[in-house]
Amino acid sequence: SQTIHQWPATLVQPVGSPLSLECTVEGTSNPNLYWYRQAAGRGLQLLFYSVGIGQISSEVPQNLSASRPQDRQFILSSKKLLLSDSGFYLCAWSPGVRGDQPQHFGDGTRLSIL
Amino acid sequence: QKEVEQNSGPLSVPEGAIASLNCTYSDRGSQSFFWYRQYSGKSPELIMSIYSNGDKEDGRFTAQLNKASQYVSLLIRDSQPSDSATYLCAVNARNYGQNFVFGPGTRLSVLP
């Protein structure tokens, strides 16, 4: 069966520091991968999605970037964090071949910026 | 612009009652519809998928889809306090992963 791993679970970072969040998927090949952010009490905001290695689409222009160095690895990065980057970051995957399948989420990373 | 709308709630129902959660979407070409449950502080988990008009039942959950009215709903029978969560409606317009749109969610509270 497929599983998705996301780490770390919680992170406290000072303003201006860099960020690297990692997500890996097991048990499937060529998945679609997604990064979402959820502010407290708010809905899901799609940040990036990827349909293959090195293929990244950005939904929201900001100081975050994403990379997909391997088929089942998705990384969210920032060079300098802002206070507004606080939130719950979720990685998700869906089967790449069939477009009608649901997304499945990792456990998320709760990021607090001080 | 693709939109998915839900009442934010909170929707409060007594234990044992039927909870009815509603969702409307704007893209008439939408093909796939999903309901997720999100407990406070946790990630969303998939509870139902529906692709055709009509009802689909899974245990205490029933999803209903009406493409002509661009409306999808989730019924929870015999509601339990453990069903208290935020329920997210998601729509995949035209079956491309990047067209997956989530609604803002409805917060459900089941009162013992």
Side-chain angles (χ1 to χ4, degrees):
Chain A
S1 64
Q2 300 87 5
T3 55
I4 179 169
H5 303 281
Q6 202 180 330
W7 66 92
T10 59
L11 190 60
V12 181
Q13 293 284 97
V15 170
S17 63
L19 173 73
S20 180
L21 302 181
E22 188 164 342
C23 170
T24 59
V25 180
E26 295 178 356
T28 188
S29 297
N30 196 32
N32 294 327
L33 296 172
Y34 311 85
W35 278 111
Y36 289 89
R37 177 170 61 201
Q38 188 175 38
R42 306 295 294 274
L44 295 171
Q45 179 187 30
L46 178 63
L47 302 175
F48 301 95
Y49 66 87
S50 171
V51 299
I53 295 174
Q55 300 178 65
I56 309 294
S57 295
S58 174
E59 290 293 303
V60 182
Q62 54 205 335
N63 68 319
L64 299 173
S65 63
S67 63
R68 185 170 177 174
Q70 300 180 44
D71 181 46
R72 290 170 291 175
Q73 183 185 29
F74 205 22
I75 297 172
L76 181 69
S77 303
S78 175
K79 293 181 179 178
K80 281 188 175 183
L81 286 167
L82 307 173
L83 281 174
S84 58
D85 291 324
S86 292
F88 191 37
Y89 287 81
L90 292 156
C91 181
W93 77 274
S94 66
V97 175
R98 289 184 59 182
D100 61 347
Q101 295 299 293
Q103 295 181 9
H104 302 275
F105 289 86
D107 289 338
T109 295
R110 192 160 303 281
L111 175 64
S112 298
I113 309 299
L114 303 179
Chain B
Q1 183 177 357
K2 301 177 284 290
E3 292 184 351
V4 177
E5 297 184 351
Q6 299 178 252
N7 290 327
S8 62
L11 172 66
S12 295
V13 299
E15 183 174 355
I18 296 175
S20 178
L21 305 163
N22 303 316
C23 172
T24 58
Y25 59 94
S26 63
D27 190 334
R28 189 170 287 277
S30 298
Q31 306 279 346
S32 313
F33 308 86
F34 310 96
W35 283 99
Y36 289 78
R37 178 177 60 200
Q38 186 176 23
Y39 291 115
S40 180
K42 302 296 185 182
S43 62
E45 58 176 324
L46 178 71
I47 54 174
M48 291 286 287
S49 303
I50 187 166
Y51 302 94
S52 303
N53 281 329
D55 295 358
K56 179 181 178 182
E57 187 174 318
D58 183 0
R60 295 186 297 112
F61 298 100
T62 298
Q64 299 175 318
L65 175 61
N66 184 325
K67 290 185 179 180
S69 299
Q70 296 175 238
Y71 176 95
V72 58
S73 65
L74 179 71
L75 301 178
I76 307 175
R77 291 183 300 280
D78 188 24
S79 295
Q80 301 297 309
S82 59
D83 295 325
S84 297
T86 296
Y87 289 80
L88 305 173
C89 173
V91 175
N92 195 348
R94 308 180 192 276
N95 282 346
Y96 291 106
Q98 57 268 38
N99 290 330
F100 209 97
V101 181
F102 283 88
T106 297
R107 190 154 54 94
L108 172 66
S109 179
V110 181
L111 307 174

